[in-house]
Amino acid sequence: AQTVTQSQPEMSVQEAETVTLSCTYDTSESNYYLFWYKQPPSRQMILVIRQEAYKQQNATENRFSVNFQKAAKSFSLKISDSQLGDTAMYFCAFMKLHGSSNTGKLIFGQGTTLQVKP
Amino acid sequence: GAVVSQHPSWVICKSGTSVKIECRSLDFQATTMFWYRQFPKQSLMLMATSNEGSKATYEQGVEKDKFLINHASLTLSTLTVTSAHPEDSSFYICSARRQGVSYEQYFGPGTRLTVT
């Protein structure tokens, strides 16, 4: 069974600084996706970034980037130039693939609450 | 595009009654919808996976007779909490997977259920 672990329950960062959220996962699968989702106080889940396991290049979306280490099963999220609106709970998630019959199930980590301070 | 709505956004019901929560994909067809439960400051726990036109697949430990899921069309799935009790009070979130797109789920805004 797959597991996703986020070992940092809470983090804080000053506005405009950079912060890195950690995530590790365990799987015997070779084909899968990894995601970071953001859940602000509104509780609406928002996709931040997606990484395909077969791609060596780390995904980037504006101020958000990941450090994907497949062998180490590590998938950290770096937020640059932190903004007050980045304050939220962040979830790392894993989705395995079964070729064309992908179940689409997401396995979430425990979450990291990030507070951006002015 | 890719908007998912949930109704109601919050509901209060008395213990022993049933409550239905709707999840709709507004601008796309969803072959698969997922139902999650989330307690305060905790992660999302997958309850069940529903595929249009077939029975839902429940995760281990989830009572299928208590949490009835129906996915009658490509745009609508419903979760009915039967004979609700205070311990069923929680935040329920649905997500939908777009037909033909394997990797992305679109989440609804969630429904807060309080059972008194």
Side-chain angles (χ1 to χ4, degrees):
Chain A
Q2 288 74 31
T3 58
V4 178
T5 302
Q6 294 177 249
S7 58
Q8 305 154 313
E10 296 181 353
M11 294 190 72
S12 64
V13 63
Q14 291 296 132
E15 195 175 7
E17 298 290 303
T18 295
V19 64
T20 298
L21 309 183
S22 300
C23 172
T24 58
Y25 59 96
D26 189 25
T27 185
S28 58
E29 303 285 334
S30 57
N31 295 320
Y32 51 88
Y33 288 104
L34 293 165
F35 305 84
W36 278 98
Y37 283 91
K38 166 185 176 180
Q39 188 180 42
S42 67
R43 303 192 76 171
Q44 172 71 58
M45 294 288 285
I46 301 167
L47 176 64
V48 175
I49 201 164
R50 179 185 73 245
Q51 174 79 44
E52 291 90 334
Y54 65 87
K55 289 187 177 179
Q56 291 187 332
Q57 186 173 6
N58 289 324
T60 299
E61 286 289 340
N62 301 313
R63 298 183 294 108
F64 299 88
S65 62
V66 298
N67 183 2
F68 174 47
Q69 301 290 326
K70 191 173 183 179
K73 295 179 182 172
S74 170
F75 184 60
S76 61
L77 174 70
K78 185 172 82 171
I79 306 175
S80 304
D81 185 25
S82 297
Q83 300 176 0
L84 296 178
D86 295 333
T87 293
M89 196 161 187
Y90 287 81
F91 293 99
C92 178
F94 172 98
M95 178 191 291
K96 67 179 180 179
L97 303 178
H98 289 294
S100 60
S101 62
N102 171 26
T103 63
K105 288 170 60 171
L106 282 168
I107 299 169
F108 287 94
Q110 303 92 322
T112 297
T113 299
L114 175 66
Q115 179 75 42
V116 179
K117 297 180 178 179
Chain B
V3 177
V4 176
S5 70
Q6 279 185 243
H7 178 80
S9 55
W10 60 271
V11 57
I12 301 173
C13 71
K14 292 184 183 289
S15 186
T17 63
S18 296
V19 61
K20 181 185 287 187
I21 302 170
E22 293 185 348
C23 176
R24 292 183 185 272
S25 56
L26 299 184
D27 50 3
F28 66 98
Q29 293 187 325
T31 49
T32 306
M33 288 184 172
F34 303 88
W35 287 95
Y36 299 86
R37 185 173 180 175
Q38 185 182 32
F39 291 106
K41 298 188 184 297
Q42 293 189 22
S43 189
L44 281 71
M45 182 193 80
L46 179 65
M47 300 175 65
T49 302
S50 76
N51 292 293
E52 186 265 337
S54 61
K55 289 185 178 180
T57 302
Y58 291 82
E59 295 299 303
Q60 192 172 7
V62 177
E63 300 175 60
K64 60 180 67 176
D65 294 331
K66 181 168 189 60
F67 299 100
L68 301 179
I69 291 171
N70 183 275
H71 194 159
S73 76
L74 285 172
T75 59
L76 174 64
S77 177
T78 59
L79 167 67
T80 301
V81 183
T82 62
S83 187
H85 291 285
E87 57 266 30
D88 299 323
S89 298
S90 189
F91 194 68
Y92 293 88
I93 302 174
C94 74
S95 70
R97 186 168 66 158
R98 190 201 298 259
Q99 189 175 35
V101 180
S102 63
Y103 53 77
E104 192 138 5
Q105 290 185 27
Y106 303 95
F107 286 83
T111 296
R112 181 178 302 282
L113 169 64
T114 301
V115 184
T116 61

